[in-house]
């Protein structure tokens, strides 16, 4: 079938465009059918993720009569849904569980060099977000869409240590591990210097 050639585009290339975003990566393509009086009408859906590999990521879902058009629509939606992910070096700032519908994804920070211990949709999203060391486990539905949306919900729920410290009225050093705080502080310095962005 025509849609199968696009089905495993998860590997996607890492070319960047003018806005600093890498080329979109397709998580999954699905053929859906609408039953009408004259028979079935087929169309395609594409779940697409876009990121810059440096703290920004977005997820989009496109539907069209042709696969390339569905991917294009998904990419446009993903670009509209871009958001910043708080990172401490190459990992996330704290453990978090993202939930959306039947999907539940647990993410934990990991030591540098651990790599992205995740599968399927979660791996692609985390790589596009610029997370290079994380432990991730899907605890709910195995459906690609649910896992992807739960991963995005988890990343959106992440908080910055300095903001939490301000809210609690405590010094950051009291509740953030030293290594994590050092990595987070270094990233903030890079952001301030303009060598990277969030």
């Amino acid at each position: 079938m025509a849609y199968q050639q696009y089905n495993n585009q998860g590997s996607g290339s890492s070319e960047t465009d003018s806005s600093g975003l890498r080329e979109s990566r397709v998580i999954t393509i699905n053929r859906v059918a609408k039953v009408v009086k004259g028979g079935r009408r087929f169309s395609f859906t594409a779940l697409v993720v876009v990121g810059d590999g440096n703290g920004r990521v977005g997820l989009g879902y496109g539907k069209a009569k042709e696969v390339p058009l569905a991917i294009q629509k998904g990419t446009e939606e993903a670009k509209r849904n871009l958001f910043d992910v708080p990172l401490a070096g190459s990992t996330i700032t704290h453990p978090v569980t993202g939930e959306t519908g039947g999907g539940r994804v647990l993410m934990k920070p990991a030591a540098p060099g651990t790599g992205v211990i995740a599968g399927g949709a979660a791996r692609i999203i985390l790589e596009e977000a610029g997370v290079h060391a994380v432990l991730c486990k899907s605890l709910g539905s195995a459906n690609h869409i649910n896992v992807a949306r739960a991963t995005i919900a988890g990343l959106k729920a992440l908080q910055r240590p300095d903001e939490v410290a301000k809210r609690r009225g405590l010094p950051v050093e009291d509740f953030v591990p030293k290594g994590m705080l050092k990595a987070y502080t270094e990233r903030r310095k890079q952001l301030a210097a303009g060598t990277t962005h969030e």
Side-chain angles (χ1 to χ4, degrees), residues 8 11 14 16 22 39 43 49 63 69 75-76 86 98 116 119 122 124 140 154 160 168 179-180 182:
N8 294 322
S11 58
S14 57
T16 55
R22 299 201 286 196
S43 57
V49 65
K63 185 176 177 181
L69 196 55
T75 304
E76 286 166 7
V116 179
I124 295 170
R160 291 170 173 78
R168 290 186 184 178
M180 178 74 70
K182 185 182 174 189

Side-chain angles (χ1 to χ4, degrees), residues 39-127:
R40 291 182 187 154
R41 284 193 185 157
F42 294 105
S43 57
F44 298 91
T45 65
L47 189 64
V48 182
V49 65
V50 168
D52 63 356
N54 199 15
R56 279 200 312 161
V57 71
L59 185 72
Y61 188 68
K63 185 176 177 181
K65 299 280 184 212
E66 300 293 330
V67 176
L69 196 55
I71 293 171
Q72 186 185 332
K73 283 183 180 179
T75 304
E76 286 166 7
E77 187 183 310
K79 286 179 180 176
R80 285 197 301 271
N81 294 336
L82 280 170
F83 66 97
D84 293 329
V85 180
L87 298 176
S90 62
T91 190
I92 55 177
T93 51
H94 59 85
V96 66
T97 303
E99 290 188 41
T100 305
R104 279 183 73 224
V105 175
L106 170 68
M107 289 176 274
K108 287 184 177 181
T114 305
V116 179
I117 311 297
R123 170 182 282 275
I124 295 170
I125 291 168
L126 290 165
E127 284 174 353

